[in-house]
Amino acid sequence: MRKPFIVANWKMHKTVQESVDFVKAIKDHLPDPDKVEVGIAGQAFALYSMHEAAAKSGLRIIAQNAAPQLSGPFTGEISMRGLSQAGVSHVMLGHIERRRLFNETNEAVHQKVETAIMTGLTPIICTDETMVQREMNGEIHYVLKQLQSVLHGVSLDQIRDIIISYEPSWAVGVGQRANTALAEEGCRQIRRMIADIYTYEIADKIRILYGGSVNPKNIQEIMSKPDIDGVLIGRASLDVDNFLAMVNYQQQTK
Ligand code: PGA
């Protein structure tokens, strides 16, 4: 059984105080961590304080990005070694906004994946595609090529704990989620590719998240799909009540 993983991606929102207040407000209302895993990707400067505020709650503290280098003269960059010692457990890599706005390439994401593994952070590898890219490739999704080059050299042992997310560009940040069938199809194709490159056993265990305009109203339908193991939530995760409604989606009346 793959444990559902509900992740807030706060992007460039919230101060240290706002982040800590949010964590304090939700920590006693989270689902049983044995049944549903919950994480928040906050801004780098707030992660350590969030980690302290989250103590013993099981809440995962996640970085939104980090440098591929371990350390050195890279002014303004954030090291994964430092993040892992600040209570961070996961790092998102190659989010669509990083790729589109900051020209992050598959090669750069690949290097970051290697560094994350080396420093003990679990990578959440983000993949995306536009509708045109998706349609042009017919059966072969654009995301599969993206993922293939990012995973190049990642061993059988290393892939086990990696998390992948599928974020179709037409659904991210627009308030209009992707058609659930298309979201499921993207995640299913990714799982099939993992089986081709690695093994069926690994494909069956690896968690694949969907991201793009998830909210309290649509989360239950999205999470009911067999190949969607969790969600990355942007805008709707910024509000305490909305976020609690989503992490406790299993309690929602059908
Ligand atoms: P959204 O963002 O929920 O606001 O569409 C999702 C994401 O960027 O991960």
Side-chain angles (χ1 to χ4, degrees), residues 76-117:
E77 291 295 293
I78 296 164
S79 90
M80 293 202 209
R81 194 168 151 264
L83 288 171
S84 74
Q85 294 195 6
V88 171
S89 53
H90 297 64
V91 58
M92 287 167 52
L93 299 173
H95 185 272
I96 183 170
E97 284 151 17
R98 302 284 329 154
R99 292 178 188 264
R100 300 275 154 86
L101 305 173
F102 302 98
N103 302 319
E104 209 160 280
T105 61
N106 287 334
E107 182 49 34
V109 179
H110 167 71
Q111 284 173 21
K112 291 180 181 196
V113 170
E114 295 204 316
T115 309
I117 293 168

Side-chain angles (χ1 to χ4, degrees), residues 15-88:
T15 62
V16 175
Q17 194 60 53
E18 287 163 354
S19 306
V20 167
D21 288 349
F22 190 107
V23 170
K24 286 184 179 160
I26 64 162
K27 67 179 274 198
D28 295 329
H29 308 284
L30 296 174
D32 177 351
D34 288 336
K35 298 208 172 98
V36 178
E37 204 171 344
V38 178
I40 300 180
Q43 295 199 75
F45 52 73
L47 296 175
Y48 182 66
S49 306
M50 289 168 66
H51 159 70
E52 292 209 305
K56 299 198 178 81
S57 66
L59 180 73
R60 303 292 193 186
I61 305 299
I62 303 173
Q64 298 175 13
N65 178 41
Q69 301 87 359
L70 276 174
S71 64
F74 303 101
T75 303
E77 291 295 293
I78 296 164
S79 90
M80 293 202 209
R81 194 168 151 264
L83 288 171
S84 74
Q85 294 195 6
V88 171

Side-chain angles (χ1 to χ4, degrees), residues 100 185 231:
R100 300 275 154 86
E185 225 260 316
V231 283

